[in-house]
Amino acid sequence: MTSSAAGRYATALFELAKEEGQLDQVEADLNSVGAALDDSADLTQVLVSPIYTRDQQGRALAALATKMELGALTSNVLGLMAANRRLFSVPEMLANFAGLMAEHRGEVTAEVTSAKALTKAQSENLAASLKASVGRDVNLNMTVDKDIIGGLIVKVGSKMVDSSIRSKLAGLQNAMKEVG
């Protein structure tokens, strides 16, 4: 997680926030930044486009931090990333920080792909089943992929269970090729 620049920024921010007792504040700040990135293509463009100077990016992030009332730690790290021309890695840094927070809480994240959105009850049942299996609280990161036709693909750490109809059909197709 820490081998990339984004991972190192996330780790440094996590350690500073932990040391200063501000983990919850920094997590809330970063969730707000992530939501702003999701909502604004223009903001994302400022982060990733090389046409903006380091100074322009720094001013844009400083204005964003002020407008969003971000804490000093979060503002300083974003300012440092702007000064080092690393703003393109902010989304990765956000994901790395979220992973560090989940680990800190003793949680694990499961990547779940389904053919259609799961209901709240289905999600809760899946999370409970996974918790029983891995022995830790499980956060579900849900995505929908209609191409899997039905079933689920669940990844927890390095383990993956693919019960999708697409993979079962592919297995059947391979078995038929071997016979014929």
Side-chain angles (χ1 to χ4, degrees), residues 10-70:
T11 301
L13 181 57
F14 177 83
E15 293 299 327
L16 284 170
K18 186 175 177 183
E19 190 175 292
E20 296 187 18
Q22 296 183 19
L23 282 173
D24 292 338
Q25 172 65 45
V26 170
E27 182 179 35
D29 287 350
L30 294 180
N31 287 340
S32 296
V33 170
L37 287 172
D38 289 343
D39 292 344
S40 174
D42 291 339
L43 177 58
T44 303
Q45 190 63 28
V46 168
L47 297 184
V48 300
S49 178
I51 65 169
Y52 297 103
T53 67
R54 192 179 302 213
D55 186 50
Q56 288 171 320
Q57 287 178 321
R59 284 194 317 254
L61 261 290
L64 176 73
T66 301
K67 180 86 171 154
M68 294 178 71
E69 299 178 358
L70 300 179

Side-chain angles (χ1 to χ4, degrees), residues 126-157:
L126 178 59
S129 296
L130 290 172
K131 180 179 180 177
S133 175
V134 298
R136 293 167 62 179
D137 286 335
V138 178
N139 291 328
L140 300 180
N141 186 3
M142 308 288 293
T143 56
V144 174
D145 179 1
K146 291 180 177 28
D147 292 339
I148 69 169
I149 303 169
L152 296 173
I153 300 172
V154 180
K155 296 178 194 170
V156 179

Side-chain angles (χ1 to χ4, degrees), residues 27-128:
E27 182 179 35
D29 287 350
L30 294 180
N31 287 340
S32 296
V33 170
L37 287 172
D38 289 343
D39 292 344
S40 174
D42 291 339
L43 177 58
T44 303
Q45 190 63 28
V46 168
L47 297 184
V48 300
S49 178
I51 65 169
Y52 297 103
T53 67
R54 192 179 302 213
D55 186 50
Q56 288 171 320
Q57 287 178 321
R59 284 194 317 254
L61 261 290
L64 176 73
T66 301
K67 180 86 171 154
M68 294 178 71
E69 299 178 358
L70 300 179
L73 281 176
T74 306
S75 299
N76 290 342
V77 167
L78 291 175
L80 181 63
M81 292 178 81
N84 292 334
R85 299 289 282 176
R86 295 285 181 259
L87 286 178
F88 61 88
S89 62
V90 166
E92 184 183 350
M93 187 270 290
L94 298 176
N96 284 329
F97 189 89
L100 290 168
M101 284 299 295
E103 188 176 309
H104 175 70
R105 288 188 200 107
E107 300 169 342
V108 66
T109 299
E111 302 292 329
V112 179
T113 304
S114 59
K116 64 180 184 173
L118 298 180
T119 65
K120 183 174 173 79
Q122 289 170 325
S123 296
E124 289 170 354
N125 287 339
L126 178 59

